[in-house]
Amino acid sequence: DTASALAAGCPVVFKAHNAHPGTSELVGHAITKAITDHGLHPGVFSLIYGPGTSIGQALVADPNIKAVGFTGSQAAGTALTRTAANRPEPIPVYAEMSSLNPVIVFEGALTGPTANIDALAQQYVAAVTGSSGQLCTSPGLLFAPTGDAGDKFAAAVNHAITTCAGQTMLTESIAGSWHTGTEALGSADGVTVLGQGADGQTHNAPAPAIYATQVKDFLTNEILHQEIFGAASLVIRYTTTSDLLDAITRLEGQLTATLHLTNHDYPTAAPLIPALEQKAGRIIVNGWPTGVEVGHAMVHGGPYPATSDTRTTSVGTLAINRFLRPVAYQNLPTELLPTPLHNTNPWHLNRLINGQPT
Amino acid sequence: DTASALAAGCPVVFKAHNAHPGTSELVGHAITKAITDHGLHPGVFSLIYGPGTSIGQALVADPNIKAVGFTGSQAAGTALTRTAANRPEPIPVYAEMSSLNPVIVFEGALTGPTANIDALAQQYVAAVTGSSGQLCTSPGLLFAPTGDAGDKFAAAVNHAITTCAGQTMLTESIAGSWHTGTEALGSADGVTVLGQGADGQTHNAPAPAIYATQVKDFLTNEILHQEIFGAASLVIRYTTTSDLLDAITRLEGQLTATLHLTNHDYPTAAPLIPALEQKAGRIIVNGWPTGVEVGHAMVHGGPYPATSDTRTTSVGTLAINRFLRPVAYQNLPTELLPTPLHNTNPWHLNRLINGQPT
C-alpha cells in the first residue's frame, strides 16, 4: 500500500507495528533515502510509533487522511473501517483481516507413488509452519478425500508435523491468541488432533498443530471457521463433490483457494471453480498460497472478511487504483491539459482512445 | 448504475422514486422485456415501490445485497452509507448527493461585443432553470470578474432571469426545500438578489432566482456553500486569481467545474486546473455542465459530498467497475479457466498481456 500510494502521488503516514520497531526504522530510513535521492518533498513519507488503538484511530479520523491501508486482526480492521465510515467525510479503508486459504486435494493428486504423497504432505506442513504460520495466506484448511489415498496422506501429514518444532511468534499476544484458538478448535465436537510437533526452545514458540474433522462438522460449527493466526491447520475429510460444494458455499471470503489435482480430476474440479470465484481473490492450481508477486495479474485481496474492500488488491500493479480518482477533461485546450494527457503522450502511457488500447 | 450492474452480471433490485411511479413502471417494463427477449433469468431485475426511509434502509441492510447505487439528498445518502458500513459484512454505497458545479467566467470571455455577453448570460440562465434546476449538474455558483465587463454580464443575467417563469418542481417537499434554501441564502450577510423571474402558473413552480455576493463572503459563510436543488444560483464577484484559488480551496467536492475563457485567459486559468482537479470529477471549458454521455472518457462522480465514493463514475464505460471484483487464476489449466480467459480470446476482449494492451 505504501508503494502504490506513493506511485499514485499521495503522501503517506506509516504507523510502525509495535512488534518490530527496528525493522520499521530500517525500512523507513530506506524510503526516506529514496525520497531524498529523487528530490521529492520530504513530507511525502512519515513514520510514526505508538499504540494502534489510539494513534491508529486518531489517524483514520484526521480530516487530512483520505484513504487507509491496514493489515491485522478482524476486530482492529473493523474498528478502523467503522471510524472511517462515520467521519464527516467518509474515506476508504483497505483492511486485510483474516483468511483460511482453503486447499482442496483431489484423488488424482494422491494416486502416484508414496513418495509423491509424502512430498505433498511435507509441502502442506511447510506452508502451515513457515514463519510460524504468521502469513496471511497460510493454509488454515485442507480438504482431503476419505478412503485409502486420503488416509495415506493424513498419515504422511502426521509424520511431517511430528518432526516440526515451534518457532518464536511475533508477540506474546499473538501467541496467546494461537493458544486460545487451538484450544477451542481442539475441543470442538468431531475434531481430533491429526498430529502435533514439539514446543520450540524459545519463548512463545508453541508446537505446530494439525487437526482433523469431517465435512458435516465443518458445515455446522462456527468455531471451525475461525482463523488461527500461526502454525495450525484443519484437515477436512470429504467424500463427494457435493461435500466440497457445500463446504465452499459455507466459507467466508478468502484471499486464496488452492486445488491439487491431475487432469483426471478436471471434471470433478470444474463445477467448483465458479463457486470458488465467489469466495476468493486468487485461485491456485498445484501450488501453495504463500507468496505473492508484484505483477499485472496478481490479486492479493478477496471478499469480506479477507479484506474490507473486495474491489481491490494490495499487491500488483492494480493496487495503485486504491489511491486514484478519475477526472474527465472536457474540451480543454492543450495549454490547460496536464502534461501526460497531451496528444504527444510524453509519458508513454498505455492509453484507451475511443475504446481502443494504444 | 442499473445498466452497469447488469453488464457486470449482477441481479438488480430497483426501488422506484415515489415522485414518478408511472415513469418507473414504464422503464421497468422496458427492462423486463429486454430481459425476456434475451432469454435471461427473470430474477435479474426487480422493481419495487415504497418509502426510501424504510424499504431503502431494509434493502441496504439485507445480507443478499452486495452494493448500492443511490441518487438523492445528502441526508438520505449519508444514512444509507452508514447502514452499509455498519452491516456485519460492509458493502459499497455509490451515492450521488450534492454538487454546486461552479462555473468560472474569465475576462477574455466578456471582451467581445455585447451580443456575446448577452448570449453567455442566457446560456447560464438556461442551465440554471432547465428542468426547473433539478439536475445534479445544474450550476449553483458562477464566478464573474468585478469591473465593467463583469457588471455588463451581471446586468445581462438580470435581464435573462427576469423574463423566466417557474416550472413545476418534482414534489412539494423538493419545492419546500428550495424555498428554505433560497430564504437562507437571500438573507445571508453580503448576499443580494441579482435577478428573479416570475412564479409559474402551476403548483410548486417558484420563481427562478439568482443571487450575488463577493468572494470574501463566500469564504466565510457556510450558508453560501449549501446546495439548493432547483432553479437558484449564486454569482460571486472576484478580482484576482488569488480570489479564485481561495474560493476553489474552500469548495467541497463537486461533480463538475467549468471555465469560460479565451486563449488570452490561459495564463490566468492554468494555475487553477490542479486545484480544480482536487475538487471535481469533470472539468469543462466553454460549455455548460448539464448533460452527460455514455463514453470511455466520461466521469460523473467526484469527491465527497458530490458522491460517497470518489473512485468511481456512475456514467461511462468505467461505471462497470463499481460492480466487479478482480480474481487471479494462478497456474490453472485451460480446462478449468473461465471461457473469456482462454488464449483464443473468444469474447474478443481488450486484454493486458505482460503489461501490454492487446
Side-chain angles (χ1 to χ4, degrees), chain A residues 182-208:
Chain A
T182 51
E183 275 156 29
L185 180 59
S187 59
D189 283 348
V191 173
T192 56
V193 175
L194 176 58
Q196 184 146 23
D199 284 333
Q201 305 275 329
T202 56
H203 199 53
N204 295 326

Side-chain angles (χ1 to χ4, degrees), chain A residues 85-273:
Chain A
N86 289 299
R87 288 165 44 125
E89 177 195 359
I91 55 171
V93 174
Y94 303 107
E96 189 188 291
M97 298 186 291
S98 78
S99 185
L100 294 168
N101 305 296
V103 175
I104 304 175
V105 175
F106 291 83
E107 287 280 351
L110 301 174
T111 48
T114 307
N116 290 5
I117 295 178
D118 289 347
L120 200 65
Q122 277 159 13
Q123 289 163 18
Y124 168 48
V125 168
V128 169
T129 58
S131 300
S132 196
Q134 301 169 127
L135 292 169
C136 43
T137 52
S138 176
L141 298 177
L142 183 142
F143 293 87
T146 49
D148 273 0
D151 288 347
K152 276 185 198 162
F153 176 75
V157 168
N158 167 281
H159 179 74
I161 192 78
T162 307
T163 65
C164 287
Q167 299 165 26
T168 304
M169 298 194 74
L170 201 54
T171 67
E172 197 162 339
S173 157
I174 292 175
S177 295
W178 184 93
H179 279 294
T180 312
T182 51
E183 275 156 29
L185 180 59
S187 59
D189 283 348
V191 173
T192 56
V193 175
L194 176 58
Q196 184 146 23
D199 284 333
Q201 305 275 329
T202 56
H203 199 53
N204 295 326
I210 294 187
Y211 300 85
T213 194
Q214 307 293 323
V215 166
K216 69 173 169 49
D217 292 302
F218 183 71
L219 293 179
T220 51
N221 191 347
E222 180 58 35
I223 289 168
L224 279 56
H225 293 256
Q226 302 298 313
E227 182 190 42
I228 300 173
F229 193 65
S233 191
L234 175 65
V235 172
I236 303 165
R237 304 295 293 273
Y238 71 92
T239 308
T240 63
T241 306
S242 165
D243 283 349
L244 290 171
L245 265 176
D246 288 348
I248 292 167
T249 306
R250 180 67 182 70
L251 284 173
E252 292 193 298
Q254 307 291 337
L255 292 170
T256 70
T258 300
L259 311 174
H260 278 277
L261 42 64
T262 64
N263 54 358
H264 297 298
D265 301 308
Y266 292 172
T268 322
L272 305 183
I273 304 290

Side-chain angles (χ1 to χ4, degrees), chain B residues 104-107 143-147 214-216 219 236-248 268-269 271-272:
Chain B
I104 304 174
V105 175
F106 291 83
E107 287 280 351
F143 293 87
T146 49
Q214 307 292 322
V215 167
K216 69 173 170 47
L219 293 180
I236 303 163
R237 304 295 294 272
Y238 71 92
T239 308
T240 62
T241 306
S242 165
D243 283 349
L244 290 171
L245 265 176
D246 288 347
I248 292 168
T268 322
L272 305 183

